[in-house]
Amino acid sequence: MNAIATASALSLPISFYPSTKFKSKRCAKGGFRILAIFGEQGGLVDKKNPWSTLFDVEDPRSRIPQSKGKFLDVYHSLEVARFDIQYLDWRARQDVLTIMLLHEKVVEVLNPLARDFKSIGTMKKDLADLQDELSQAHKQVHISEARVSAALDKLAYMEALVNDRLLQGRDTIEATSESPSPSTSRESLDTIRRKPPRKSLDVSGPVQQYSPHLKNFWYPVAFSNDLKDDTMVPIDCFDKPWVIFRGKDGKPGCVQNTCAHRACPLDLGSVNEGRIRCPYHGWEYSTNGKCEKMPSTRLLDIKIKSLPCLEQDGLIWIWPGSDPPTATLPSLLPPQGFQIHAEIVMELPVEHGLLLDNLLDLAHAPFTHTSTFAKGWSVPSLVKFLTPASGLQGYWDPYPIDMEFRPPCMVLSTIGISKPGKLEGQSTQQCSTHLHQLHVCLPSSRQKTRLLYRMSLDFAPVLKHVPFIQYLWRHFADKVLNEDLRLVLGQQDRMLNGENVWNWPVIYDKLGVRYRLWREGVEQGINKSTFNEPSS
């Protein structure tokens, strides 16, 4: 009965249920009061019932919002949810009253004076009938309690939407559910209605030139294991070509992938004694971009552009922005107890924001990944992503998956599993084994993404030593990605033709919405988040 008590305290209220067998006389105010309750046989119940004050609650059905045939916005939906709880509170009180009256009847039947006027057979029949009615009433109370609990969850969900930055149009709206009376609640809703309409996301049309502000971050661009001595890794970042290689000291460097002499791509050449050699005329450049060898001519003071480049946690990082780089790098290592099993790099023909949108959304899994990791997953009636008020991390309900967006382009997730493709428990803490994933979505160009994927496990360490296991992981990663890729490519096609890919976000889109709001703020230069700041 805790939920019923809570609803009573809220004095707030979806559908109507058949009334009980006990009818009541409507009072002057239109409410139902215990003072004149009739039983099945029409007998008047004692007006001095000591419980009359507790059950003296007005029937809210006359004030239910008229919404039939209308498409409700979030504020109207919130109002309907509140009236649902108020009605369920009233309904639960009536059910409890029914049980009390039935108990009084039992007492009446067992009363010694009543036994003098009734046969034993009649008493047995009356008691059996009352026992059945009492059982049904108890069952109805449990149903009402469950309905109140569900309605309270719905109200909390609706209020979370109202308080969300996106649905409020960046305006703070205080919509509290603790109003003790319907009139106060109605005034609150009237105040909300006078607020400006919500500002929705608009991600449509051709991808614009990247803002310089978005470049002022450390970006992981390659795995350390892929950058051996005397080798190089060409990359594109923000529509510009770069090449990464190791200098004489073994430290990585990043220079533009264009020779200063005749604009030949340097990655077509080779690395010689810590310098990258152009294949056209042999000019050689060090990791700081300075030309240190120029065969067949006099050495000139030539330098190509280079970027700050560091190595940490098995990743090569660059700083493509014009601002001075921050002194520290974030840690992207898996949590303690995990071992890295696979590191995979892919080049994808999609804009990196669309790919991040996809990675930050798991509600699509039982529809999209039906032949890979989500095979056999059930489709829940409601999927939520629960986060701090303004955080970029949280966990899925009902999936045992923790997820985080790490600026500027990283997604980290921990999945509780019992075996591949099967979920175990309702949270990662309830699961005995886990898969940890890192996705880095480097914006190569406005329609191309360099994806770095790292997979770690906290079980089965022997898998690292299985011959050719890396090809199995690559095959599985390709299969999962291809399930998403055809959808994201379709989105990109529609987006380029003017469709808004964020037309109507819902509750399980929360993390993706907050990524878009973060990116919008950074691109406008008004909300630059750094790695050292807490994300909540």
Side-chain angles (χ1 to χ4, degrees), residues 169-352:
R170 308 288 181 82
D171 292 330
T172 303
I173 299 177
E174 295 296 331
T176 178
S177 64
E178 298 181 357
S179 174
S181 67
S183 60
T184 307
S185 175
R186 191 172 302 230
E187 291 173 3
S188 175
L189 289 168
D190 290 340
T191 302
I192 292 175
R193 290 194 192 99
R194 289 194 293 270
K195 292 291 183 179
R198 72 181 182 94
K199 178 183 178 182
S200 73
L201 288 171
D202 185 6
V203 182
S204 60
V207 182
Q208 302 300 313
Q209 290 283 352
Y210 287 112
S211 166
H213 300 292
L214 195 60
K215 301 178 182 180
N216 289 316
F217 291 91
W218 283 107
Y219 283 85
V221 294
F223 291 112
S224 297
N225 290 333
D226 294 335
L227 190 64
K228 309 296 184 183
D229 292 337
D230 299 330
T231 63
M232 61 186 119
V233 176
I235 64 167
D236 290 331
C237 184
F238 291 110
D239 290 307
K240 293 187 179 299
W242 305 92
V243 62
I244 303 168
F245 63 101
R246 294 188 183 275
K248 289 182 179 180
D249 56 3
K251 295 181 180 179
C254 180
V255 300
Q256 71 179 58
N257 193 7
T258 305
C259 182
H261 180 210
R262 301 283 295 276
C264 179
L266 293 176
D267 69 291
L268 299 178
S270 59
V271 176
N272 179 42
E273 296 181 350
R275 297 187 298 270
I276 191 168
R277 176 189 292 168
C278 176
Y280 209 168
H281 298 93
W283 291 21
E284 296 183 7
Y285 302 88
S286 62
T287 54
N288 64 3
K290 182 176 178 59
C291 184
E292 295 186 346
K293 192 172 183 180
M294 196 178 295
S296 305
T297 186
R298 186 178 64 179
L299 185 65
L300 303 176
D301 187 14
I302 301 293
K303 189 174 183 179
I304 58 178
K305 187 174 181 179
S306 64
L307 295 178
C309 185
L310 294 175
E311 184 174 14
Q312 177 178 293
D313 298 338
L315 290 163
I316 309 297
W317 303 69
I318 64 171
W319 181 279
S322 57
D323 288 356
T326 57
T328 58
L329 295 174
S331 176
L332 296 181
L333 284 176
Q336 187 175 3
F338 284 79
Q339 289 190 18
I340 298 172
H341 281 252
E343 293 180 336
I344 299 170
V345 180
M346 304 179 187
E347 299 287 343
L348 306 176
V350 294
E351 196 270 331
H352 88 290

Side-chain angles (χ1 to χ4, degrees), residues 41-266:
Q41 305 301 324
L44 187 63
V45 178
D46 184 6
K47 293 183 179 181
K48 296 181 180 180
N49 191 305
W51 299 97
S52 59
T53 303
L54 175 62
F55 298 104
D56 187 11
V57 177
E58 182 182 359
D59 183 356
R61 286 180 289 187
S62 61
R63 295 179 289 102
I64 195 73
Q66 299 300 315
S67 57
K68 185 177 181 180
K70 296 180 181 179
F71 185 81
L72 302 182
D73 61 20
V74 66
Y75 304 119
H76 292 119
S77 300
L78 177 61
E79 185 176 14
V80 170
R82 284 178 168 170
F83 274 99
D84 285 344
I85 291 180
Q86 190 174 12
Y87 170 75
L88 290 172
D89 168 49
W90 175 84
R91 177 73 268 166
R93 291 170 189 259
Q94 302 305 307
D95 294 336
V96 174
L97 176 61
T98 301
I99 291 178
M100 295 176 61
L101 293 177
L102 286 171
H103 276 293
E104 289 180 4
K105 274 196 172 186
V106 172
V107 172
E108 180 183 348
V109 170
L110 296 177
N111 189 293
L113 294 177
R115 288 201 299 267
D116 294 340
F117 301 98
K118 294 183 180 181
S119 67
I120 293 179
T122 303
M123 290 178 59
K124 285 183 177 180
K125 183 178 182 302
D126 290 344
L127 286 174
D129 292 341
L130 287 172
Q131 188 175 6
D132 289 340
E133 291 183 28
L134 193 59
S135 176
Q136 290 296 324
H138 276 287
K139 182 178 179 180
Q140 185 63 39
V141 167
H142 290 306
I143 293 174
S144 297
E145 184 176 358
R147 287 169 177 163
V148 169
S149 179
L152 287 171
D153 289 343
K154 181 183 290 186
L155 180 63
Y157 161 59
M158 298 304 301
E159 289 184 336
L161 289 180
V162 171
N163 290 324
D164 190 273
R165 290 191 302 167
L166 174 67
L167 299 178
Q168 288 190 48
R170 308 288 181 82
D171 292 330
T172 303
I173 299 177
E174 295 296 331
T176 178
S177 64
E178 298 181 357
S179 174
S181 67
S183 60
T184 307
S185 175
R186 191 172 302 230
E187 291 173 3
S188 175
L189 289 168
D190 290 340
T191 302
I192 292 175
R193 290 194 192 99
R194 289 194 293 270
K195 292 291 183 179
R198 72 181 182 94
K199 178 183 178 182
S200 73
L201 288 171
D202 185 6
V203 182
S204 60
V207 182
Q208 302 300 313
Q209 290 283 352
Y210 287 112
S211 166
H213 300 292
L214 195 60
K215 301 178 182 180
N216 289 316
F217 291 91
W218 283 107
Y219 283 85
V221 294
F223 291 112
S224 297
N225 290 333
D226 294 335
L227 190 64
K228 309 296 184 183
D229 292 337
D230 299 330
T231 63
M232 61 186 119
V233 176
I235 64 167
D236 290 331
C237 184
F238 291 110
D239 290 307
K240 293 187 179 299
W242 305 92
V243 62
I244 303 168
F245 63 101
R246 294 188 183 275
K248 289 182 179 180
D249 56 3
K251 295 181 180 179
C254 180
V255 300
Q256 71 179 58
N257 193 7
T258 305
C259 182
H261 180 210
R262 301 283 295 276
C264 179
L266 293 176

Side-chain angles (χ1 to χ4, degrees), residues 344-346 348 355 359 439-441 449-453 481:
I344 299 170
V345 180
M346 304 179 187
L348 306 176
L355 189 58
L359 292 171
H439 291 85
V440 178
C441 301
T449 299
R450 178 179 174 87
L451 175 65
L452 277 63
Y453 173 73
L481 186 62

Side-chain angles (χ1 to χ4, degrees), residues 278-476:
C278 176
Y280 209 168
H281 298 93
W283 291 21
E284 296 183 7
Y285 302 88
S286 62
T287 54
N288 64 3
K290 182 176 178 59
C291 184
E292 295 186 346
K293 192 172 183 180
M294 196 178 295
S296 305
T297 186
R298 186 178 64 179
L299 185 65
L300 303 176
D301 187 14
I302 301 293
K303 189 174 183 179
I304 58 178
K305 187 174 181 179
S306 64
L307 295 178
C309 185
L310 294 175
E311 184 174 14
Q312 177 178 293
D313 298 338
L315 290 163
I316 309 297
W317 303 69
I318 64 171
W319 181 279
S322 57
D323 288 356
T326 57
T328 58
L329 295 174
S331 176
L332 296 181
L333 284 176
Q336 187 175 3
F338 284 79
Q339 289 190 18
I340 298 172
H341 281 252
E343 293 180 336
I344 299 170
V345 180
M346 304 179 187
E347 299 287 343
L348 306 176
V350 294
E351 196 270 331
H352 88 290
L354 290 178
L355 189 58
L356 281 168
D357 290 341
N358 175 266
L359 292 171
L360 295 172
D361 167 31
L362 196 71
H364 72 281
F367 304 98
T368 304
H369 300 291
T370 54
S371 62
T372 53
F373 71 90
K375 185 176 182 179
W377 283 19
S378 60
V379 179
S381 59
L382 183 66
V383 176
K384 296 182 286 185
F385 188 81
L386 306 176
T387 71
S390 59
L392 295 174
Q393 77 285 333
Y395 63 93
W396 288 90
D397 180 10
Y399 304 122
I401 298 179
D402 299 336
M403 187 171 285
E404 176 185 0
F405 166 70
R406 186 78 62 83
C409 64
M410 288 84 79
V411 176
L412 296 94
S413 59
T414 301
I415 306 174
I417 58 175
S418 57
K419 63 181 180 179
K422 183 178 180 181
L423 291 177
E424 174 189 277
Q426 294 298 310
S427 68
T428 53
Q429 290 79 12
Q430 295 176 359
C431 301
S432 57
T433 56
H434 303 82
L435 163 69
H436 181 77
Q437 299 181 109
L438 165 68
H439 291 85
V440 178
C441 301
L442 180 69
S444 297
S445 69
R446 283 174 285 175
Q447 292 186 40
K448 189 172 72 171
T449 299
R450 178 179 174 87
L451 175 65
L452 277 63
Y453 173 73
R454 173 186 278 171
M455 184 192 76
S456 307
L457 304 174
D458 64 354
F459 64 98
V462 70
L463 289 178
K464 292 190 63 171
H465 308 291
V466 174
F468 309 110
I469 189 66
Q470 67 271 23
Y471 297 107
L472 177 62
W473 295 135
R474 176 71 190 221
H475 171 75
F476 185 76

Side-chain angles (χ1 to χ4, degrees), residues 18-29:
S19 61
T20 62
K21 294 183 180 180
F22 295 91
K23 302 177 182 177
S24 55
K25 227 181 242 185
R26 187 179 296 274
C27 67
K29 294 183 180 180

